[in-house]
């Protein structure tokens, strides 16, 4: 076992108790090449890759997490509430681009958490993603995370020219911004699952501080239609979401997912729309924000959070991406802005 003086970059899978050369080789063949990647692995998937039992795979994962704690990368399993409060004060928060939306999120999008934005087409989900590609790269003292962004596009909605426009409108160098946004187009649900499974490598390669998945549900929703496939779909979504939870915590990065909505015709009072994916996505998401159109503006409402007030705010979408509403008369939107609403 490695002692606490070892740097995380120096840790090897073979340093973990119980893992010999043969097991380490199998892990590397399965795409797990670092202790961090093993610590975020899913026991069922690892067991399949190794040809072992789920209990054995879970033991390896817990041993990897133990090694990271001993090396000072992860906190101890048990801490007191005052220590936890100090830790939360040190979390990074990334500006969304609109002060009103940042205030709703009590400072912006958090690291070590999954923030879900859901709403109908045109509600501004992809606009938030495009804006975060820019704001996340800004220095921490300027409301950013000071790192790169990984964006997984499952619906073909990413537009690099939109990121270019937002960067220019905010007085930033668009070429530098675009170089630090890593785009991956996921073409089917299995591809998305494979990307998430190998995410640790991509985080290191692109020095990412934020992962955006736009959207989390579309591929599984399209491929698993009908009640007969619902259980399989939910199990696979559950695996993805819990992998993302561990990635957010262990790598100290912000994870953004967008989600579609579905109608509930039996709702007689209130809004009949609800997020797709059921409780699997809802329970795994740390914060859940509902977006909807209101004329030329957008309304964001906190739906689920451990500590945010359940309130809503208005914001707008313009050449700067997500922005605050001007106090004077509403500005007419250009055709280009209308085309890129979602």
């Amino acid at each position: 076992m490695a002692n606490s003086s070892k740097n995380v970059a120096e840790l090897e899978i073979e340093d973990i108790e119980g893992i010999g050369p043969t097991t380490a080789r199998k892990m590397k063949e399965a795409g797990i090449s670092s202790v961090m990647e093993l610590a975020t692995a899913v026991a069922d998937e690892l067991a399949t890759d190794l040809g072992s039992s789920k209990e054995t795979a879970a033991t390896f994962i817990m041993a990897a997490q133990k090694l990271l704690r001993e090396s000072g990368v992860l906190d101890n399993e048990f801490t007191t509430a005052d220590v936890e409060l100090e830790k939360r004060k040190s979390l990074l928060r990334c500006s969304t681009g609109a002060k009103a939306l940042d205030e709703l999120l009590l400072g912006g999008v958090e690291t070590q958490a999954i923030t879900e934005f859901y709403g109908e087409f045109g509600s501004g989900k992809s606009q938030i993603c495009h804006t975060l590609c820019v704001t996340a790269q800004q220095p921490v003292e300027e409301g950013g995370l000071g790192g790169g962004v990984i964006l997984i596009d499952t619906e073909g909605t990413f537009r690099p020219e939109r990121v270019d426009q937002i960067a220019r409108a905010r007085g930033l160098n668009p070429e530098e911004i675009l170089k630090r946004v890593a785009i991956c187009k996921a073409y089917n649900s299995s591809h998305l699952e494979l990307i998430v499974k190998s995410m640790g490598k991509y985080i290191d390669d692109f020095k990412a501080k934020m992962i955006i998945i736009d959207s989390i549900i579309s591929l599984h929703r399209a491929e698993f239609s009908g009640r007969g496939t619902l259980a399989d779909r939910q199990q696979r979504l559950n695996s993805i979401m819990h992998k993302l939870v561990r990635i957010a915590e262990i790598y100290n990065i912000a994870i953004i997912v967008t989600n579609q909505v579905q109608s509930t015709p039996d709702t007689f009072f209130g809004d009949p729309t609800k997020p797709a994916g059921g409780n699997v996505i809802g329970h795994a998401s740390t914060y859940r924000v509902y977006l909807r159109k209101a004329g030329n503006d957008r309304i964001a409402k906190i739906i689920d959070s451990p500590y945010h007030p359940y309130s809503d705010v208005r914001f707008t979408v313009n050449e700067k991406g997500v922005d605050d509403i001007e106090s004077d008369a509403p500005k007419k939107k250009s055709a280009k802005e209308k085309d890129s609403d979602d």
Side-chain angles (χ1 to χ4, degrees):
M1 290 286 288
N3 58 41
S4 58
S5 64
K6 260 201 175 184
N7 184 285
V8 66
E10 299 173 330
L11 297 175
E12 299 287 346
I13 289 177
E14 288 88 341
D15 292 330
I16 298 170
E17 189 174 2
I19 295 182
T22 303
T23 304
R25 177 177 52 77
K26 287 182 180 179
M27 287 183 181
K28 288 173 183 175
E29 287 172 356
I32 298 173
S33 57
S34 70
V35 176
M36 292 281 271
E37 287 175 322
L38 178 56
T40 61
V42 178
D44 285 335
E45 295 175 358
L46 183 61
T48 301
D49 292 334
L50 298 180
S52 67
S53 68
K54 183 178 176 181
E55 289 72 23
T56 300
T59 301
F60 290 150
I61 293 169
M62 288 188 287
Q65 294 171 353
K66 181 173 181 282
L67 179 56
L68 290 175
R69 289 190 194 97
E70 292 173 349
S71 303
V73 179
L74 293 182
D75 294 330
N76 292 327
E77 287 179 280
F78 285 91
T79 59
T80 55
D82 61 327
V83 172
E84 194 66 18
L85 178 61
E86 287 303 310
K87 177 187 168 187
R88 287 203 54 79
K89 288 179 181 177
S90 66
L91 286 178
L92 299 178
R93 289 179 173 82
C94 179
S95 172
T96 60
K99 290 179 182 178
L101 190 52
D102 289 347
E103 289 173 5
L104 180 73
L105 296 170
L106 300 181
V109 174
E110 282 185 10
T111 57
Q112 297 187 32
I114 297 178
T115 303
E116 175 196 351
F117 292 97
Y118 75 91
E120 295 179 334
F121 177 81
S123 59
K125 304 186 297 293
S126 291
Q127 288 304 308
I128 288 177
C129 295
H130 283 85
T131 309
L132 286 170
C133 283
V134 177
T135 58
Q137 297 186 41
Q138 300 313 294
V140 173
E141 56 272 16
E142 294 178 21
L145 300 178
V149 177
I150 294 172
L151 189 146
I152 303 170
D153 183 9
T154 69
E155 297 184 305
T157 53
F158 177 76
R159 297 292 180 269
E161 57 268 31
R162 183 64 173 129
V163 175
D164 182 287
Q165 181 190 35
I166 293 169
R168 290 179 189 277
R170 292 178 178 272
L172 303 170
N173 184 333
E175 292 182 2
E176 291 301 315
I177 294 291
L178 289 166
K179 284 178 183 176
R180 292 197 294 267
V181 180
I183 309 300
C184 180
K185 293 186 178 181
Y187 295 103
N188 55 53
S189 60
S190 297
H191 187 201
L192 175 61
E193 291 161 16
L194 181 62
I195 294 165
V196 172
K197 181 180 178 182
S198 307
M199 190 57 73
K201 176 180 183 298
Y202 302 132
I203 291 170
D204 292 335
D205 288 348
F206 299 113
K207 297 180 174 57
K209 293 300 291 181
M210 178 178 285
I211 296 170
I212 301 171
I213 304 180
D214 186 20
S215 79
I216 191 70
I217 190 75
S218 61
L219 296 174
H220 289 79
R221 197 178 187 186
E223 294 172 31
F224 295 84
S225 58
R227 290 190 175 275
T229 63
L230 183 60
D232 188 25
R233 185 191 81 170
Q234 294 304 89
Q235 184 176 3
R236 291 171 70 170
L237 278 172
N238 190 41
S239 177
I240 289 176
M241 293 301 293
H242 279 84
K243 171 80 174 178
L244 291 173
V245 168
R246 286 192 289 276
I247 289 170
E249 293 174 351
I250 290 178
Y251 285 91
N252 187 26
I253 63 175
I255 294 185
I256 313 298
V257 299
T258 69
N259 194 3
Q260 300 172 346
V261 295
Q262 59 191 49
S263 180
T264 50
D266 56 344
T267 301
F268 298 102
F269 301 100
D271 195 331
T273 59
K274 67 176 184 179
N279 292 332
V280 163
I281 295 178
H283 288 165
S285 297
T286 321
Y287 309 114
R288 188 165 238 191
V289 183
Y290 175 36
L291 303 174
R292 60 186 175 90
K293 292 187 76 169
N296 287 334
D297 301 326
R298 306 290 185 277
I299 294 177
K301 182 177 184 179
I302 292 281
I303 298 297
D304 191 23
S305 167
Y307 74 106
H308 287 82
Y310 289 82
S311 56
D312 55 58
V313 297
R314 283 179 175 255
F315 64 95
T316 192
V317 174
N318 56 28
E319 68 278 358
K320 294 172 72 176
V322 174
D323 200 6
D324 289 296
I325 298 171
E326 295 180 8
S327 57
D328 51 2
K331 184 180 71 172
K332 287 187 178 180
K333 298 173 73 178
S334 67
K336 188 173 183 179
E337 286 167 19
K338 286 181 179 179
D339 287 342
S340 60
D341 267 350
D342 198 273

